[in-house]
Amino acid sequence: MERYWLVAASFCFLLSFGHTLYALGAGKFRPARFNLAAMIAGFLCGSAFLALRGQQIGACPITNLFEVLVFLSWSIVLIYLLVGPAYRISLMGAFTSPLVLVLLLIALIVPTDAPSTRISHNPWVESHAALSIIAYGAFGLGCIAGIMYLVQERQLKSRTASELLYNLPPITDLSAVNARLLFVGFVLLTIAFAAGIAAGLPVDNAKSATSLVIWAIYGIVLILRRTGRIAPRRIATLSVAVFILALITLPAIQALSVHP
Amino acid sequence: MTILCAGINHHIAPVEIRERFAVPTSDIPNVLASLRAIDGVQEAVVLSTCNRVEFYAASICPERALNGLRNYLHERTGAPDAPLYHHTTPQSVRHLFRVASGLDSMVLGETEILGQVKDAYSAASTNGSTRRTLNRLFQSAFRVAKSVRTETQITRGSTSVGAVAVELAGKIFGDLAHRRVMILGAGDTSERTARSLVSRGVRTVIVSNRTYERAARLAAEIGGMAIHFDHWHREFHEVDILISSTGAPHTILTAEKLAPIVRQRAGRPLFLIDLAVPRDIDPAVNKLEGVFLYDIDSLESIARRTLAVRQQEVERCERIIDGNVHTYLQWLRDSTADRPPFHSSANSHQTPNPAAI
């Protein structure tokens, strides 16, 4: 029954994305209001699903890959809505909706919704898992800001003033937003690690090693940016590449995760 | 009720004639009072800008009101041969909607005119010169202009080299307030571009020219700082936007010279505007990370393309205007149903009408 909420959420994100494509094609792109409304509606539907599923299993609904993907997509939209109107400007919603839609469709189509026997009721473990995924939500949105930066930079370098140039935010703003989201994700992931240590989770396994590597890459990127030793273009490229790496390794991490 | 519009604009009269019709802001209350005193005129608005002077009136006796208006303008300007157009409903309504939307402007799609129309209406309204007919007309015009602006691309981009450069600066830096601009070679276009940047919030402008006096004069005019031409490279590493038009026979900025400076900038973008022919800046610098180089051809090409896009949009704008003209006329008919029918004259002149006054 709760899957209907998920279908409804997917439909909202599809509507947002479809509207953007139609508006761009018709040359009358005015994204803010419609995209925001569709994103909020999708977020509410996703929240309803998570609430029902949480009630059903009596724990935070991140006990299998299906739930993790839903929670991750919900986190991306949550960060998108929290970061503020400056970030939502122009095509931001349009770039966010396809990513969230793909995550939800994978969750809905791939049969990964198997009941888990490893449900944890330890609040530290739940905090660790939930914060980790929300951190990846921030990294996901950082990846979107990175893509937007790369697109806008290409527009400016190519000296062709296309429709996208006028609708995308300035590259300086995109660069700042990109770095801010990576920072938010990094802080959340650090807290998640601390919660994991407080919960007494083992750290000498492949899952911890993978997570630590991703955490370290983001940390190094932020330090290099802080010291001005890396160009915004490279930060944008890395934020896209590392998030894709994280998405690819997510099923493996999930399979390896042990919730006592 | 009939809406009348009579006036003169840049399409039909040069500035030396238009200036005789111009109504200074301080004089608007008197002119409005004079217009209302014309037999047959119930409501009036005066729109006076550098490109047009137009008088809008609502009247139940349009013939009499138009004659009175002509006589008044004749007396006021002393220009009996001046070309003057006049429109009656529905062309007058369409004309105002087109004016407010920037379709009748010298630069197609410019938006400054909407503010001027709003000011004109506000002055008339404050002076008690408008009632429901013109109130509704101008409110509709503002709504139409907003629809045209948001639903089409008529205002998209910029149509002059300077404005394109400023727009690109905005797309690179966002807020321009804390950006440093350097003008290398004080030519006309670079001066105009610098002024546009200052009007967009730039506070620090450094001017360098082979003739120091010219640099100092321009710097004083735009609130900048002049430096000797031999010293420009010393200040350059802190600059965010360079406007170059030196007239040098060879490039003065190469990728090799720029690369170490770019490394010191810690990721801050650098916008180079090369207005010189032959070019001052080696095109290869555009390959450096964070450097955006635009020469005169690329800026002009963007301006031309923008204008072409705007011209393609005119048809869509006209459709929006048509729909709103219809809606307004419907309201006008309904609101005056219990009065004598309004004058639906097709007697509207778009072309110069030397005999009008």
Side-chain angles (χ1 to χ4, degrees):
Chain A
M1 172 62 193
E2 74 267 14
R3 285 173 80 97
Y4 287 121
W5 285 110
L6 219 49
V7 174
S10 306
F11 182 71
C12 292
F13 298 128
L14 178 67
L15 216 60
S16 165
F17 186 47
H19 175 262
T20 305
L21 291 181
Y22 163 75
L24 277 176
K28 51 179 182 183
F29 190 72
R30 284 293 175 276
R33 205 174 296 170
F34 186 87
N35 276 344
L36 187 58
M39 295 298 278
I40 290 173
F43 177 75
L44 292 177
C45 293
S47 305
F49 166 82
L50 291 173
L52 287 172
R53 179 56 73 101
Q55 222 168 23
Q56 196 185 333
I57 62 172
C60 186
I62 40 176
T63 60
N64 59 32
L65 185 58
F66 165 75
E67 289 171 2
V68 167
L69 285 172
V70 175
F71 199 86
L72 177 60
S73 64
W74 178 85
S75 303
I76 291 173
V77 183
L78 173 72
I79 301 282
Y80 163 78
L81 295 173
L82 285 180
V83 171
Y87 188 45
R88 284 200 300 266
I89 48 173
S90 303
L91 287 172
M92 185 56 77
F95 274 66
T96 306
S97 53
L99 173 66
V100 174
L101 183 64
V102 165
L103 290 174
L104 284 182
L105 288 179
I106 293 170
L108 280 167
I109 294 164
V110 181
T112 54
D113 191 14
S116 175
T117 53
R118 301 176 304 188
I119 297 172
S120 167
H121 296 286
N122 180 340
W124 285 111
V125 175
E126 286 198 300
S127 303
H128 159 74
L131 279 174
S132 298
I133 295 173
I134 294 172
Y136 280 106
F139 292 142
L141 217 54
C143 162
I144 289 164
I147 292 170
M148 291 173 75
Y149 179 94
L150 294 172
V151 170
Q152 185 69 316
E153 202 233 14
R154 190 177 169 77
Q155 297 282 320
L156 286 162
K157 281 275 189 192
S158 66
R159 294 178 277 209
T160 51
S162 74
E163 187 59 29
L164 265 181
L165 177 81
Y166 295 104
N167 286 307
L168 282 170
I171 54 163
T172 308
D173 293 356
L174 285 170
S175 169
V177 163
N178 182 220
R180 203 181 309 147
L181 285 165
L182 295 191
F183 180 73
V184 169
F186 182 75
V187 169
L188 287 172
L189 198 57
T190 308
I191 298 170
F193 281 171
I197 292 166
L201 292 176
V203 291
D204 55 345
N205 53 34
K207 177 205 162 196
S208 302
T210 313
S211 302
L212 268 174
V213 166
I214 290 171
W215 176 82
I217 294 173
Y218 280 121
I220 291 167
V221 167
L222 286 168
I223 291 167
L224 288 176
R225 184 187 187 269
R226 183 83 185 158
T227 53
R229 280 190 284 180
I230 186 168
R233 186 176 196 284
R234 290 185 192 190
I235 298 174
T237 310
L238 278 170
S239 63
V240 177
V242 178
F243 184 70
I244 290 170
L245 175 75
L247 272 188
I248 292 168
T249 55
L250 184 66
I253 289 176
Q254 181 61 22
L256 290 167
S257 74
V258 177
H259 289 176
Chain B
M1 186 73 79
T2 297
I3 310 291
L4 295 174
C5 167
I8 192 164
N9 65 17
H10 59 282
H11 293 304
I12 61 169
V15 65
E16 52 269 24
I17 296 180
R18 293 201 307 273
E19 66 192 5
R20 296 173 74 172
F21 283 78
V23 181
T25 310
S26 58
D27 207 17
I28 282 180
N30 295 334
V31 173
L32 286 170
S34 305
L35 290 174
R36 284 202 311 278
I38 293 172
D39 190 19
V41 171
Q42 271 78 43
E43 305 172 49
V45 173
V46 178
L47 171 65
S48 180
T49 74
C50 53
N51 283 329
R52 68 183 65 246
V53 181
E54 290 179 340
F55 302 88
Y56 291 88
S59 170
I60 50 171
C61 314
E63 302 281 343
R64 238 184 316 160
L66 202 55
N67 283 334
L69 188 57
R70 286 171 183 158
N71 292 336
Y72 169 71
L73 291 176
H74 187 176
E75 279 171 28
R76 180 180 158 79
T77 63
D81 297 330
L84 192 77
Y85 50 76
H86 71 266
H87 304 294
T88 55
T89 319
Q91 281 85 354
S92 52
V93 175
R94 185 185 308 279
H95 179 76
L96 175 64
F97 289 1
R98 292 187 85 255
V99 168
S101 304
L103 297 190
D104 201 48
S105 296
M106 187 178 275
V107 177
L108 182 65
E110 62 96 7
T111 52
E112 196 183 350
I113 184 66
L114 179 59
Q116 292 166 328
V117 175
K118 282 182 177 174
D119 289 344
Y121 168 67
S122 175
S125 177
T126 308
N127 281 281
S129 188
T130 62
R131 290 204 287 273
R132 62 196 300 253
T133 306
L134 287 193
N135 283 342
R136 179 79 171 212
L137 176 70
F138 277 81
Q139 296 297 345
S140 301
F142 304 148
R143 209 169 39 247
V144 171
K146 190 181 171 198
S147 297
V148 163
R149 194 190 292 190
T150 53
E151 290 172 28
T152 74
Q153 298 183 60
I154 196 72
T155 59
R156 199 203 80 165
S158 302
T159 53
S160 70
V161 166
V164 168
V166 172
E167 188 153 44
L168 289 168
K171 282 295 169 194
I172 294 170
F173 300 106
D175 182 16
L176 298 179
H178 301 289
R179 304 297 163 187
R180 289 170 75 89
V181 176
M182 176 180 275
I183 303 170
L184 215 50
D188 286 346
T189 311
S190 51
E191 184 184 328
R192 277 200 300 276
T193 308
R195 284 183 194 280
S196 301
L197 286 167
V198 169
S199 73
R200 279 281 302 270
V202 166
R203 289 186 215 139
T204 311
V205 182
I206 301 163
V207 187
S208 184
N209 195 58
R210 286 188 198 279
T211 316
Y212 179 78
E213 289 69 31
R214 186 159 183 202
R217 198 165 56 242
L218 176 59
E221 279 176 28
I222 59 176
M225 178 180 80
I227 58 168
H228 285 281
F229 193 74
D230 295 340
H231 300 159
W232 72 267
H233 54 278
R234 287 187 202 163
E235 300 286 336
F236 178 63
H237 63 281
E238 285 296 326
V239 162
D240 298 301
I241 301 169
L242 173 73
I243 306 167
S244 186
S245 60
T246 63
H250 49 75
T251 55
I252 58 166
L253 197 58
T254 61
E256 290 74 29
K257 278 186 197 168
L258 197 55
I261 297 171
V262 169
R263 276 196 293 275
Q264 284 172 12
R265 295 179 64 81
R268 281 187 298 127
L270 177 62
F271 182 27
L272 304 174
I273 304 165
D274 187 355
L275 301 173
V277 180
R279 287 176 290 182
D280 284 340
I281 304 170
D282 176 7
V285 303
N286 196 46
K287 289 180 186 155
L288 295 172
E289 219 158 80
V291 177
F292 302 95
L293 169 67
Y294 283 74
D295 60 25
I296 187 75
D297 272 7
S298 49
L299 293 170
E300 278 177 349
S301 156
I302 291 173
R304 273 198 306 275
R305 229 171 314 142
T306 302
L307 198 58
V309 168
R310 287 188 181 189
Q311 275 157 354
Q312 284 166 11
E313 289 295 289
V314 168
E315 205 176 305
R316 282 173 66 191
C317 299
E318 297 285 10
R319 280 203 295 274
I320 293 171
I321 289 171
D322 283 348
N324 282 280
V325 168
H326 178 77
T327 306
Y328 178 77
L329 293 179
Q330 189 63 49
W331 173 83
L332 195 61
R333 268 184 216 109
D334 294 346
S335 68
T336 55
D338 54 341
R339 298 176 193 172
F342 67 86
H343 178 77
S344 181
S345 166
N347 181 23
S348 183
H349 300 272
Q350 296 279 3
T351 49
N353 179 14
I357 300 181

